[in-house]
Amino acid sequence: MIANSQGRLQDRRPLSIIDIGSNSIRLVVYEGIARSPTVLFNEKMLAGLGRGIVSTGRLDPDAVKRAVDEFRRFRALSDQAGAQELYVIATAAAREAENGPDFIHRAEEILGTKIRVLSGREEAHYSALGVISGFHPANGIAGDLGGGSLELVDVDGEHIGDGITLPLGGLRLQDMAKGSPVEAAKIAKRELARAKLLKGGEGRVFYCVGGTWRNLARLHMNAIGYPLSVMHHYEFGVESSAAFLRQVARGEIDKIKGIERISKSRRALLPYGAVVLQEIIAVMKPSKIVVSALGVREGFLYSLLPPEERGADPLISAAEELAVLRARSVAHAHELAKWTGESLAAFNIDETEDEARYREAACLLADIGWRAHPEYRGMQSLNIIAHASFIGVDHPGRAFIALANLFRHEGVFDDSVAPEMRTLATPRYLERARLLGALLRVVYLLSASMPGVIPKLRWQPQPNGGLALVIPASHAGLDGERPTGRLAQLARVTGRSLELVVGS
């Protein structure tokens, strides 16, 4: 049975969501309802339902035919993937077009389920929930740019504030401006003047949601040679990206490095996405621009979670799940997290809230590479962590977690490995990763990667101002040359006098 397939969590009931947008239609099959959802299958088509709606008031007839044909495939794929529920949501084009109700009726007959046509307010609400679910915590203005509309909404932790829907989706703006980015800028400026909530975002984060902005961010990554191809939590500097946005807004994209990696069907809308983002920056004056890979669809999924599960840390949830799937012992991973926290306290080393979260995640993930060849465990662990679909972590934090696991396997003093990850980590994160890696290298040699002994290890102050790592007498046989040598490495990292002793 699919539910018992190896490599899958056993307590999950797969479900599908079909998102009918003005430009794209996407089927996503999720492993189940979870704080950090995992995608089993994902397919989209760029139908362009909203193309020409400004002048005709109707969904594009060719797009309707293609979409209706594709719905049969989406239904079959959902069934094939073992989805036990199918939810279908539709946004701006379907709710506004004259022939929208007929299209929805035909789609419902094929898909065999009721389609929820979201109002502008509902679309903004679910978009906000998507951002809330993806950041720990979110604080700023979320903007979801679709093909037909732009939803803006204030988010602060779990609180959703004011919101507004504007007719500034990429396809609609292209139509209204008759293909002129200059005219599009005028329209965007006029419409955004109605978004009074933007003023309340000054100095806070602007979260970009939607395919056009994600592709704009992808092009920016390519242009600057960014070392990590992970879209979620990618940050634009407001000033550093200004010249790039001006160039794209003028439609001068053909010579930008990496433009060939953006699909041709997406390129035409990039200038309109850049124009809208420029006008938002001018009005809002955000501290930075951050890309969210989560939007309406993920917000809808988040709304299905039991209330008591919504407050869980998405990064820790995902790390725990990966430990279940790949580590030798999840109990051992949790022991590592607790012991390393106690060790930092014994060394009088403080942590911020995020540093503590990232350390816990690194410990939960510390054994995910154990099945690899010993020479490659470090790099395999780093690559899995660097490119995993984690949420609730920024890119420097992701680099910290990945490097800590690299150091745990490869040693802490080789500065030639993983230069790309080092450029993403702050100097403080790099040193914390080195320290955590050194701690893990000691304790793995005393635990044999199995639970039970780590809670019995303790740090004891010494008269010389140093610390002794005390092994209980009941486990005296664990003492030896290799753990003593690893402790000497930890001493070099911390600048402390450390010794290994057997307790009485």
Side-chain angles (χ1 to χ4, degrees):
M1 292 176 60
I2 290 176
N4 294 321
S5 297
Q6 222 171 1
R8 296 267 294 277
L9 295 169
Q10 301 303 302
D11 61 344
R12 300 292 161 83
R13 299 174 63 248
L15 76 156
S16 298
I17 297 179
I18 295 177
D19 181 1
I20 304 173
S22 299
N23 190 32
S24 65
I25 301 175
R26 187 182 294 269
L27 162 72
V28 184
V29 185
Y30 295 94
E31 186 179 29
I33 300 173
R35 182 61 187 89
S36 185
T38 300
V39 173
L40 285 178
F41 186 82
N42 185 339
E43 183 167 299
K44 72 174 179 183
M45 68 171 300
L46 291 174
L49 286 169
R51 190 175 304 280
I53 198 171
V54 171
S55 56
T56 68
R58 299 176 62 82
L59 299 176
D60 181 85
D62 180 61
V64 167
K65 182 180 184 307
R66 292 175 55 231
V68 167
D69 289 343
E70 198 70 8
F71 286 146
R72 295 182 176 87
R73 172 173 166 77
F74 281 3
R75 175 78 240 193
L77 285 169
S78 177
D79 293 341
Q80 169 63 19
Q84 299 182 30
E85 297 283 351
L86 171 62
Y87 298 93
V88 187
I89 55 178
T91 53
R95 72 171 173 258
E96 295 173 4
E98 177 187 326
N99 57 338
D102 178 63
F103 167 73
I104 292 296
H105 177 70
R106 292 172 65 190
E108 287 177 337
E109 287 185 331
I110 294 168
L111 294 169
T113 190
K114 182 73 175 175
I115 296 176
R116 184 167 179 176
V117 181
L118 302 181
S119 66
R121 182 178 294 275
E122 288 176 322
E123 192 173 349
H125 175 78
Y126 286 123
S127 180
L129 284 181
V131 171
I132 287 170
S133 73
F135 295 86
H136 187 86
N139 185 356
I141 305 293
D144 188 345
L145 184 69
S149 63
L150 167 68
E151 279 68 46
L152 296 170
V153 62
D154 193 296
V155 293
D156 186 358
E158 292 287 315
H159 177 69
I160 300 176
D162 294 337
I164 189 172
T165 296
L166 300 172
L168 292 176
L171 284 176
R172 183 188 295 269
L173 185 56
Q174 185 184 42
D175 288 346
M176 289 192 298
K178 295 180 171 53
S180 167
V182 174
E183 186 60 29
K186 296 176 183 177
I187 296 170
K189 184 174 184 177
R190 183 174 66 247
E191 290 291 339
L192 286 166
R194 299 195 286 126
K196 306 301 182 186
L197 74 153
L198 285 176
K199 294 292 186 181
E202 184 171 353
R204 297 161 69 201
V205 176
F206 182 71
Y207 298 96
C208 287
V209 182
T212 297
W213 275 339
R214 284 196 299 272
N215 279 278
L216 187 66
R218 178 72 63 200
L219 183 59
H220 188 256
M221 281 182 169
N222 297 341
I224 66 173
Y226 192 72
L228 183 65
S229 296
V230 171
M231 187 53 60
H232 188 66
H233 222 306
Y234 178 66
E235 297 186 5
F236 285 89
V238 173
E239 293 184 4
S240 61
S241 65
F244 167 81
L245 290 176
R246 283 196 298 270
Q247 183 177 358
V248 177
R250 291 194 300 264
E252 299 169 0
I253 61 175
D254 291 343
K255 294 183 179 179
I256 297 178
K257 180 183 176 183
I259 186 62
E260 69 282 353
R261 295 172 62 186
I262 307 298
S263 68
K264 291 183 178 180
S265 57
R266 287 287 193 183
R267 292 179 200 176
L269 296 184
L270 290 180
Y272 302 95
V275 160
V276 174
L277 187 55
Q278 281 183 310
E279 294 301 328
I280 288 172
I281 291 171
V283 176
M284 177 179 165
K285 298 179 175 59
S287 59
K288 57 186 174 182
I289 311 299
V290 178
V291 178
S292 173
L294 284 67
V296 170
R297 189 171 49 253
E298 292 76 19
F300 181 81
L301 187 67
Y302 180 76
S303 75
L304 301 177
L305 272 174
E308 64 273 13
E309 294 183 25
R310 294 183 192 177
D313 187 322
L315 172 63
I316 301 305
S317 296
E320 285 178 326
E321 291 176 1
L322 204 52
V324 168
L325 292 170
R326 300 185 69 105
R328 279 170 282 198
S329 167
V330 179
H332 181 265
H334 282 288
E335 289 178 357
L336 288 176
K338 187 173 187 296
W339 182 80
T340 55
E342 293 169 349
S343 298
L344 293 189
F347 292 176
N348 293 317
I349 296 174
D350 67 319
E351 289 183 295
T352 66
E353 179 187 352
D354 273 342
E355 286 167 351
R357 295 174 58 239
Y358 297 161
R359 174 182 52 77
E360 181 179 358
C363 290
L364 291 170
L365 297 167
D367 204 36
I368 61 173
W370 76 274
R371 286 188 179 274
H373 186 282
E375 295 291 329
Y376 297 100
R377 287 173 185 159
M379 286 307 298
Q380 184 186 80
S381 298
L382 178 140
N383 282 323
I384 291 171
I385 294 166
H387 301 102
S389 56
F390 293 143
I391 54 178
V393 58
D394 61 15
H395 286 196
R398 185 183 288 262
F400 162 73
I401 298 168
L403 287 168
N405 278 279
L406 177 71
F407 294 147
R408 166 261 195 275
H409 287 286
E410 303 287 345
V412 296
F413 298 115
D414 185 352
D415 290 335
S416 65
V417 294
E420 297 87 357
M421 283 293 101
R422 292 169 187 266
T423 64
L424 288 177
T426 64
R428 178 177 168 109
Y429 277 179
L430 181 58
E431 290 309 307
R432 289 302 174 95
R434 199 185 305 276
L435 170 60
L436 181 56
L439 280 166
L440 295 176
R441 285 174 69 78
V442 171
V443 78
Y444 262 97
L445 290 185
L446 297 174
S447 68
S449 308
M450 287 292 115
V453 71
I454 295 177
K456 299 175 182 178
L457 304 174
R458 59 187 175 87
W459 293 100
Q460 180 174 292
Q462 297 297 90
N464 66 357
L467 289 169
L469 180 58
V470 182
I471 302 173
S474 58
H475 291 73
L478 295 173
D479 191 10
E481 278 188 15
R482 291 206 69 203
T484 298
R486 292 283 177 85
L487 196 66
Q489 293 179 350
L490 178 61
R492 285 179 60 190
V493 172
T494 61
R496 301 286 296 267
S497 173
L498 304 176
E499 60 179 313
L500 195 64
V501 302
V502 177
S504 60

